[in-house]
């Protein structure tokens, strides 16, 4: 196994240089140019041909007679998009973020790599770590949550798993991509400190994890298209972070100018050649692009492909899809997040008596696994929520109704031992903005941002309201990719489960949780505020937008607002007691230590989280930010001491005058707990002045 992918790739530099010397200018440029036709890509998206998007890996480069392998791209943040009725559909990244389990995510990466190799791909474009500035972003489901540290750690875990098998990881979308409806026209602006502390650290973590490729973003940053961004691609990514891999364009519309993109650090146009190929050749011959620039890009591509292909050849073997499907189920089990459980309504016990359970809401009977954009996985089967409940609840009578008539909903609820209301979103409500016509990127589409509200639809609110008139023990199951507002109705229910988009085995995981086989351990990877006005202001149809320093839980803390459900929270069917905490620092690290005991009657999992803040800082800072976490599994009565740490440099702030990160010699406070809730976090009075 490769322990340092960067060093391993660099060891292929000499071999790549030798190959490069034997290539013509035309051959070098061919390595930088996607090989698919417009019909193959756009025709698939528009449903004009029989193949779906990326059904076959998309190719770039490759010169067989020179011993240079092509690059074959496979998309998908919840599994491999290529093929039909074969790939494993994992829960969306938001649900996997809710597991707070990096070891589990690394296993997902290994499984995805095996399936990518079998599909004929050597590059996986499914590590998406964009930060959702606002939870209404349509593709928030494709990322791990709102926090930069969580994004970085989970992204790094997926990178480690995928590249363990040799497959190159492509991290996307670099950078500031967090709105759909205006993604092709918007220019994002923010302060330099916001850029460096909030929107870029998780990408840098992916570089540190050894990612071999990056994808640029459709949007502009500070007025310059990200695919033509000398500052982001050359200065930050390649020079400052010392990224050794290659950068490819987001598809079809990722670049608009041949010279600006290649000089700006874009190594490869994908998946269709329009601005590179012959246009790039002409630009070189006209003296607008130097051959040295072509050589640098070609070298990056060559050594990455050669190094990774050697590992792919070694790891090629039979793919255990059954094992991967079980892994998808485990991700759903660990990601399901229990937000409310009044009077222990859950789990439902059917051992002594056959119970009648009414399931309301059309989403219960849908194959609802997320959006239908570039991340859509064509799995061999999907267990819907209703199928899971029906198949698992052997000692229960499951009665389903879509909810068309409120009076009928009430009649059914009167007769039931338990009522489950399934509500939320599907691919029409949120997701990648899918254009129907060639260059129509704003109208007549599915998906996109949630521009009107991030609450439930009125029809679903009416069902909850109607049932609450009869009983207040209904169990609401929320489906969706990010924050769903609950404050107006949560007190009228018995329990709330957040199911995200749970993948091909989601129905099984839900049933196991409802009937008690699975003890939920998911933690919110984002904040659910009391009011939508507590979120950053957004204009979803705009040419320019300003991103502030604060969002999510840091914004609510700044405004002294208490969220309905804080980032990092989630209940269990058992109880955990946190005691004897302490914190300290040495010359390099902060540490937090706490003892956790399962004081309940069944085994379960808890996520211990360490946040760090400052006192008396000379600059404005968040009250505290997540700096470490660990998921632990405990049997009833079992106790475990958890020790967390982070580098002291993680708390440095970016000084805009010197354009450097600065260590502040001030007082730091360590907070330990099982969510970001300031009312439950344990704040340790041993305050440290750290010297460097």
């Amino acid at each position: 196994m490769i322990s340092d992918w960067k060093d391993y790739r660099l060891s292929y530099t000499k071999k790549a240089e030798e190959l490069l010397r034997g290539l013509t200018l035309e051959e070098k440029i061919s390595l930088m140019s996607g090989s698919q036709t417009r019909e193959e890509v756009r025709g698939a998206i528009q449903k004009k041909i029989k193949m779906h998007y990326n059904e076959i890996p998309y190719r770039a480069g490759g010169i067989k007679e020179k011993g240079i392998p092509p690059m074959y791209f496979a998309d998908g943040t919840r599994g491999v998009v290529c093929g039909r009725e074969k790939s494993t559909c994992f829960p969306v990244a938001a649900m996997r973020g809710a597991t707070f389990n990096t070891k589990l995510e690394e296993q997902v990466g290994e499984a995805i790599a095996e399936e990518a190799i079998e599909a004929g791909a050597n590059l996986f474009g499914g590590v998406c770590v964009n930060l959702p500035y606002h939870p209404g972003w349509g593709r928030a489901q494709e990322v791990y949550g709102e926090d930069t540290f969580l994004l970085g750690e989970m992204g790094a875990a997926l990178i480690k798993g995928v590249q363990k098998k040799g497959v190159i990881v492509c991290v996307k979308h670099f950078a500031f991509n967090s709105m759909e409806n205006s993604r092709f026209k918007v220019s994002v602006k923010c302060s330099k400190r916001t850029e460096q502390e909030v929107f870029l650290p998780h990408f840098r973590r992916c570089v540190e994890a050894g990612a071999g490729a990056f994808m640029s973003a459709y949007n502009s940053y500070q007025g310059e298209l990200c695919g033509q961004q000398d500052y982001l691609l050359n200065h930050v990514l390649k020079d400052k972070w010392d990224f050794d891999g290659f950068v490819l364009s987001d598809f079809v519309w990722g670049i608009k100018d041949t010279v600006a993109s290649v000089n700006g650090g874009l190594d490869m146009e994908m998946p269709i050649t329009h601005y590179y190929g012959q246009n790039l050749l002409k630009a070189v011959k006209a003296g607008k692009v130097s051959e040295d620039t072509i050589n640098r890009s070609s070298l990056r591509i060559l050594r990455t492909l050669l190094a990774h292909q050697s590992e792919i050849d070694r790891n090629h073997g039979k793919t255990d899809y059954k094992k991967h499907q079980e892994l998808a189920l485990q991700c759903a089990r660990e990601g399901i997040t229990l937000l409310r459980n009044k009077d222990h309504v859950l789990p439902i016990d059917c051992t002594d008596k056959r119970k009648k359970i009414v399931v309301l809401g059309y989403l219960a009977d849908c194959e609802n696994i997320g959006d239908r954009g570039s991340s859509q996985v064509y799995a061999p089967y999907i267990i819907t929520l209703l199928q899971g409940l029906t198949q698992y609840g052997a000692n229960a009578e499951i009665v389903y109704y879509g909810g068309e008539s409120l009076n009928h909903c009430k009649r059914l609820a009167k007769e039931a031992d338990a009522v489950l209301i399934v509500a939320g979103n599907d691919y029409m409500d949120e997701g990648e903005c899918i254009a129907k016509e060639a260059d129509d990127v704003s109208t007549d589409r599915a998906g996109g941002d949630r521009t009107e509200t991030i609450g439930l639809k009125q029809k679903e609110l009416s069902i909850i309201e109607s049932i609450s008139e009869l009983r207040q023990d209904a169990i609401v199951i929320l489906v969706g990719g990010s924050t769903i507002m609950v404050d107006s109705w949560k007190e009228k229910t018995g329990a709330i489960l957040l199911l995200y988009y749970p993948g091909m085995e989601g129905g099984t995981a839900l049933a196991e949780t409802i009937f008690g086989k699975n003890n939920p351990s998911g933690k919110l990877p984002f904040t659910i505020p009391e009011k939508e006005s507590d979120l950053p202001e957004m204009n979803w149809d705009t040419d320019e937008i300003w991103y502030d320093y604060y969002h999510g839980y840091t914004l609510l803390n700044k405004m002294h607002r208490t969220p309905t459900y804080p980032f990092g929270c989630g209940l269990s069917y058992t109880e955990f007691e946190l005691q004897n905490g302490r914190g300290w620092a040495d010359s390099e690290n902060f540490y937090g230590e706490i003892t956790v005991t399962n004081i309940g009657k069944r085994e379960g999992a808890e996520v211990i989280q360490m946040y760090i803040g400052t006192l008396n800082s000379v600059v404005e800072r968040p009250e505290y930010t997540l700096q470490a976490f660990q998921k632990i599994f405990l049997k009833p009565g079992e106790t475990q001491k958890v020790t967390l740490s982070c580098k002291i440099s993680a708390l440095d702030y970016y000084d805009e005058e010197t354009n450097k990160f600065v260590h502040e010699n001030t007082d730091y406070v360590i907070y330990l707990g099982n969510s970001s809730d300031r009312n439950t976090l344990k704040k340790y009075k041993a305050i440290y002045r750290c010297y460097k």
Side-chain angles (χ1 to χ4, degrees):
M1 185 179 73
I2 307 301
S3 59
D4 189 324
W5 269 104
K6 180 181 176 181
D7 284 349
Y8 186 67
R9 285 191 294 263
L10 291 176
S11 72
Y12 275 79
T13 299
K14 186 176 180 180
K15 183 176 181 180
E17 287 174 339
E18 290 174 357
L19 284 171
L20 198 59
R21 284 192 288 269
L23 300 182
T24 65
L25 176 61
E26 289 82 357
E27 287 174 325
K28 295 171 189 175
I29 288 174
S30 74
L31 301 179
M32 303 168 62
S33 308
S35 304
Q36 304 306 132
T37 67
R38 191 172 183 86
E39 181 185 19
E40 287 172 328
V41 180
R42 288 298 300 162
I45 293 171
Q46 297 167 347
K47 314 297 183 187
K48 291 181 178 180
I49 62 175
K50 292 183 179 180
M51 297 179 73
H52 67 70
Y53 163 81
N54 209 181
E55 185 166 338
I56 58 170
Y58 288 159
R59 174 175 172 160
I63 306 172
K64 187 176 181 180
E65 59 272 19
K66 299 287 179 71
I68 299 172
M71 188 204 77
Y72 285 110
F73 179 94
D75 216 330
T77 55
R78 52 194 142 127
V80 176
V81 167
C82 304
R84 286 182 182 267
E85 298 184 356
K86 199 170 187 179
S87 296
T88 303
C89 182
F90 293 93
V92 292
M95 187 177 207
R96 303 195 323 264
T99 70
F100 277 71
N101 190 336
T102 54
K103 292 181 180 178
L104 186 64
E105 187 66 2
E106 187 176 332
Q107 293 175 39
V108 171
E110 291 184 56
I112 284 173
E114 290 177 3
E115 296 188 12
I117 292 170
E118 185 160 317
N122 56 8
L123 185 145
F124 173 63
V127 179
C128 186
V129 292
N130 292 107
L131 185 145
Y133 183 63
H134 188 288
W137 177 37
R139 294 180 79 170
Q141 62 189 270
E142 291 193 54
V143 302
Y144 297 107
E146 72 178 33
D147 179 82
T148 185
F149 181 79
L150 179 63
L151 283 168
E153 291 304 297
M154 295 298 287
L158 188 61
I159 290 167
K160 186 176 180 180
V162 172
Q163 293 195 165
K164 188 180 290 185
K165 301 291 183 178
V167 175
I168 307 165
V169 160
C170 177
V171 179
K172 61 187 186 185
H173 310 84
F174 192 60
F176 302 93
N177 184 304
S178 57
M179 55 194 309
E180 277 301 288
N181 296 5
S182 296
R183 63 179 172 163
F184 294 99
K185 65 178 183 177
V186 70
S187 176
V188 176
K189 294 188 175 183
C190 66
S191 71
K192 186 65 69 173
R193 187 173 172 214
T194 300
E195 167 197 294
Q196 291 290 319
E197 293 184 30
V198 180
F199 285 93
L200 294 187
H202 36 285
F203 285 105
R204 185 169 190 168
R205 179 71 182 92
C206 291
V207 173
E208 293 168 350
F214 266 61
M215 177 185 284
S216 65
Y218 283 135
N219 54 281
S220 295
Y221 176 57
Q222 307 288 13
E224 183 68 41
L225 193 69
C226 286
Q228 300 167 185
Q229 260 276 0
D230 176 69
Y231 171 72
L232 284 178
L233 303 185
N234 283 327
H235 176 72
V236 174
L237 182 61
K238 294 180 178 179
D239 295 340
K240 193 171 183 180
W241 295 350
D242 200 23
F243 172 64
D244 68 288
F246 62 91
V247 181
L248 59 144
S249 69
D250 203 345
F251 285 15
V252 185
W253 300 292
I255 56 176
K256 297 179 180 178
D257 184 279
T258 302
V259 176
S261 56
V262 72
N263 287 337
L266 199 288
D267 301 304
M268 182 184 293
E269 181 184 14
M270 279 294 287
I272 304 164
T273 293
H274 180 68
Y275 292 99
Y276 282 20
Q278 287 299 311
N279 286 322
L280 182 51
L281 181 63
K282 291 176 184 177
V284 175
K285 290 183 176 180
K288 296 178 180 179
V289 176
S290 72
E291 191 161 354
D292 283 345
T293 299
I294 302 300
N295 288 338
R296 285 194 294 270
S297 289
S298 300
L299 179 64
R300 286 175 173 273
I301 294 166
L302 267 176
R303 71 183 174 205
T304 303
L305 285 170
L306 293 172
H308 283 262
Q309 194 62 50
S310 68
E311 285 299 295
I312 288 174
D313 293 341
R314 196 171 65 83
N315 282 292
H316 202 291
K318 186 177 180 181
T319 302
D320 190 342
Y321 286 95
K322 185 69 176 175
K323 180 181 177 182
H324 297 173
Q325 291 158 10
E326 178 62 32
L327 182 60
L329 174 57
Q330 185 61 24
C331 288
R333 287 170 178 147
E334 291 195 33
I336 291 176
T337 307
L338 180 62
L339 297 175
R340 177 178 171 85
N341 196 16
K342 185 180 179 182
D343 299 326
H344 303 287
V345 170
L346 287 172
I348 298 173
D349 186 359
C350 296
T351 56
D352 297 330
K353 172 190 172 185
R354 181 175 172 83
K355 293 185 176 179
K356 184 175 184 179
I357 299 173
V358 169
V359 181
L360 302 174
Y362 76 98
L363 290 176
D365 198 26
C366 295
E367 293 186 348
N368 196 12
I369 55 172
D371 84 346
R372 297 189 181 179
S374 60
S375 66
Q376 184 176 1
V377 173
Y378 295 80
Y381 67 87
I382 297 166
I383 305 296
T384 69
L385 308 187
L386 183 61
Q387 286 172 339
L389 292 166
T390 303
Q391 293 169 10
Y392 192 87
N395 201 29
E397 178 188 357
I398 306 295
V399 178
Y400 166 71
Y401 179 59
E404 294 78 7
S405 166
L406 293 179
N407 286 332
H408 190 51
C409 288
K410 293 169 75 171
R411 282 193 291 270
L412 291 173
K414 281 181 181 179
E415 305 167 356
D417 293 300
V419 178
L420 275 58
I421 303 171
V422 181
N425 301 314
D426 65 11
Y427 73 96
M428 291 298 294
D429 301 307
E430 59 182 357
E432 185 171 3
C433 183
I434 303 301
K436 296 293 180 66
E437 298 303 328
D439 293 310
D440 176 12
V441 295
S442 60
T443 62
D444 190 25
R445 54 158 180 79
D449 304 306
R450 291 183 287 162
T451 60
E452 301 300 322
T453 179
I454 57 170
L456 293 176
K457 303 177 187 67
Q458 186 55 52
K459 181 68 175 179
E460 295 168 329
L461 292 171
S462 297
I463 293 175
I464 294 172
E465 187 69 39
S466 296
I467 300 305
S468 71
E469 294 173 2
L470 302 176
R471 55 196 302 165
Q472 296 203 344
D473 64 349
I475 299 158
V476 177
I477 299 160
L478 294 176
V479 183
S482 188
T483 297
I484 297 175
M485 301 298 292
V486 302
D487 204 69
S488 66
W489 52 265
K490 71 181 179 69
E491 296 296 334
K492 300 173 183 179
T493 66
I496 302 174
L497 273 174
L498 180 55
L499 205 61
Y500 309 88
Y501 294 111
M504 64 191 297
E505 283 284 353
T508 306
L510 173 66
E512 290 181 350
T513 305
I514 291 293
F515 294 114
K517 180 181 179 181
N518 176 58
N519 187 356
S521 60
K523 299 287 185 177
L524 269 184
F526 43 73
T527 305
I528 300 181
E530 287 186 350
K531 303 174 183 177
E532 290 192 41
S533 59
D534 290 340
L535 297 167
E537 288 188 18
M538 285 296 290
N539 180 355
W540 297 106
D541 184 10
T542 184
D543 295 327
E544 185 175 292
I545 194 165
W546 177 267
Y547 284 172
D548 204 353
Y549 183 65
Y550 295 93
H551 76 289
Y553 69 88
T554 65
L555 178 60
L556 266 66
N557 283 349
K558 175 181 169 60
M559 297 190 299
H560 302 287
R561 303 280 172 81
T562 300
T564 298
Y565 294 113
F567 171 86
C569 81
L571 302 175
S572 170
Y573 292 158
T574 188
E575 293 183 64
F576 298 94
E577 183 176 69
L578 279 61
Q579 291 182 315
N580 304 321
R582 68 188 186 104
W584 71 98
D586 58 24
S587 61
E588 296 293 331
N589 298 301
F590 289 110
Y591 300 92
E593 183 178 87
I594 199 161
T595 299
V596 186
T597 303
N598 183 346
I599 59 173
K601 297 180 179 179
R602 61 175 296 168
E603 64 182 9
E606 182 60 290
V607 178
I608 305 304
Q609 301 158 44
M610 182 173 78
Y611 298 81
I612 301 181
T614 59
L615 293 177
N616 308 312
S617 177
V618 297
V619 295
E620 185 178 354
R621 291 179 179 249
E623 184 175 358
Y624 46 77
T625 54
L626 182 68
Q627 296 297 334
F629 60 84
Q630 183 179 335
K631 189 165 196 173
I632 59 172
F633 297 82
L634 298 176
K635 296 177 181 178
E638 186 178 2
T639 296
Q640 182 175 332
K641 184 180 289 185
V642 176
T643 303
L644 301 173
S645 67
C646 79
K647 294 289 185 183
I648 286 176
S649 59
L651 274 294
D652 292 354
Y653 72 90
Y654 191 81
D655 180 37
E656 295 183 345
E657 290 187 6
T658 61
N659 288 320
K660 293 180 180 179
F661 275 94
V662 176
H663 171 70
E664 187 176 11
N665 190 17
T666 188
D667 296 328
Y668 293 84
V669 184
I670 292 174
Y671 303 80
L672 294 171
N674 55 10
S675 83
S676 64
D677 182 9
R678 61 150 58 95
N679 297 315
T680 59
L681 278 170
K682 298 180 184 297
K683 175 181 175 181
Y684 293 100
K685 299 297 182 181
I687 299 174
Y688 317 99
R689 185 171 290 276
C690 301
Y691 297 91
K692 293 183 71 174

